[in-house]
Amino acid sequence: MEEITKQASKCRVATPHDTVTNSECVYTFHTPYTSDHGIVVNLQTFVGTIDEMAFKSDDNDDTAGPEGLFVRICKKRIAKVSSCDDDAAMEEATATKLGVGVEGGFQ
């Protein structure tokens, strides 16, 4: 907890003029949907990266940890369940003519 308290003073609040890249990694095409780990966004620079790039130390010392605080963004896609269970109700719900308010069109 002490480490978090020390790093908290370096965190910033994003302003309307800041660019926050939280939709995909700035170096690769990884998105929060790509893996179970998602991406991490640095709370000081607002740059979104993957774990391998965010937590990599500059020197060869493996004991050095990441500098700064990060927020992890993970998303999972869930298939939408159809409300129409049978095929007859599905066929009735679809339009067969391009028209609004006419028989066989959109109601």
Side-chain angles (χ1 to χ4, degrees):
M1 191 66 176
E2 292 178 19
E3 291 295 321
I4 294 174
T5 307
K6 289 178 190 176
Q7 296 292 332
S9 64
K10 296 179 183 178
C11 293
R12 299 183 314 138
V13 175
T15 64
H17 303 288
D18 289 328
T19 302
V20 180
T21 55
N22 61 357
S23 60
E24 70 179 9
C25 176
V26 295
Y27 304 113
T28 64
F29 291 110
H30 284 85
T31 65
Y33 294 107
T34 305
S35 68
D36 292 335
H37 300 291
I39 63 170
V40 291
V41 178
N42 189 324
L43 293 178
Q44 183 178 5
T45 61
F46 305 122
V47 173
T49 58
I50 57 175
D51 289 350
E52 292 82 16
M53 295 187 174
F55 301 130
K56 181 175 69 170
S57 61
D58 292 335
D59 54 355
N60 293 335
D61 185 17
D62 291 336
T63 60
E67 282 293 317
L69 293 178
F70 296 86
V71 61
R72 181 176 304 275
I73 301 174
C74 302
K75 296 182 180 179
K76 184 177 180 182
R77 293 180 192 223
I78 299 173
K80 195 173 192 180
V81 179
S82 176
S83 62
C84 298
D85 293 334
D86 55 11
D87 292 334
M90 185 66 164
E91 288 178 13
E92 186 177 311
T94 59
T96 56
K97 290 184 182 177
L98 183 60
V100 178
V102 297
E103 185 70 29
F106 297 99
Q107 297 297 325

